[in-house]
Amino acid sequence: MFRRLREGLAKTGRALAGRLRAAVLGRRVDAGTLEGIEEALLSADVGPEAASALVERLREANRSGELLDGAQALPFLRSEMKRMLAGEGRDLARAPSGTTVVLVCGVNGSGKTTSVAKLADLLRREGRSVVLGACDTFRAAAVEQLSTWGERVGVPVVKQATGADPAAVAYDAAEAAAARGADYLIVDTAGRLHTQDNLMRELGKIARVVGKRIPGAPHEVILVLDATVGQNALPQVETFRAAAPVSGLFLAKMDGTARGGFVFAVRRRAPVPVKLVGVGEGVEDVERFDPDAFVDALLGDPASSEG
Ligand code: GDP
């Protein structure tokens, strides 16, 4: 369980856990120790707000005499980090009946198409039937890429020629998914952030069109963020929220970075829960976000990192 997650977070984990251990082991908790902890957190891109909130909790516990020995600091921090993320990772929305429509958006290169395939495979492995809609019709490669993933994962892909109206493809896809009685329709959308107006209009139109065919759709709008960009990806949340009702985040490429602590910065700054994390290029390299498992993967086994 969670082996993939642990391996995927190893880059962040090694850096973070090593620095934390060096900051606390064999020491009393004092201002210097707390500073060391804060630096370790910042180096993992936890972000200044989350880092100082965590350190403040340690400081309070130290003042009240609850936390004096450095060896206690890591278990304490672990539980505070879990507490900070509690409530994240709520399940994907599910339509009360019929097909659940999930719109996936994100800037080009964020890992969006791969993440669509991962989500399709995850749902399929859980016994759900899935249809994909290739609505990123602007790039020929995007439609081809999604078709290849669809074949590999074993789910049908509704598509049209490059340059087709994305909303028309979305309508076709909704039609096909409803006709098949599919459990999920996952719609890949274009990610041209430099033409923000178009992006907004297009995303909004896709959302309206699927809503016409399937009541209540889209039930979920997932924004894919590239974790290797760390906190710099955060402004994208606001941009996309202006275009569509973003309801969950998919943090891709968590394995490719030592900045995996940016989940905490996301938590502080973006009013949208993290639902999924991508930890590799393979279709199976995905986990539903579980705060406890995530923090444990980040900090490593309690016995080895806090002994
Ligand atoms: P899109 O342009 O946003 O649709 O991005 P793609 O899905 O084409 O992905 C861009 C690159 O990121 C590809 O080389 C993917 O293999 C890679 N990628 C996507 N997700 C992950 C991930 O979780 N981990 C790693 N290491 N690479 C990823």
Side-chain angles (χ1 to χ4, degrees), residues 106-115 118 136 139 142 145 149 188 224 250-256 277-282 285:
V107 301
N108 286 339
S110 60
K112 181 171 53 67
T113 308
T114 309
S115 299
K118 287 175 174 178
D136 185 355
R139 293 183 300 159
Q145 198 187 342
W149 276 122
D188 186 20
V224 179
F250 190 133
L251 306 184
K253 310 188 201 178
M254 282 297 253
D255 57 305
V277 289
V279 288
E281 291 189 275
D285 294 324

Side-chain angles (χ1 to χ4, degrees), residues 90-120:
R90 280 174 287 131
D91 281 343
L92 280 184
R94 186 85 175 91
S97 65
T99 303
T100 301
V101 179
V102 182
L103 232 61
V104 180
C105 55
V107 301
N108 286 339
S110 60
K112 181 171 53 67
T113 308
T114 309
S115 299
V116 166
K118 287 175 174 178
L119 185 54

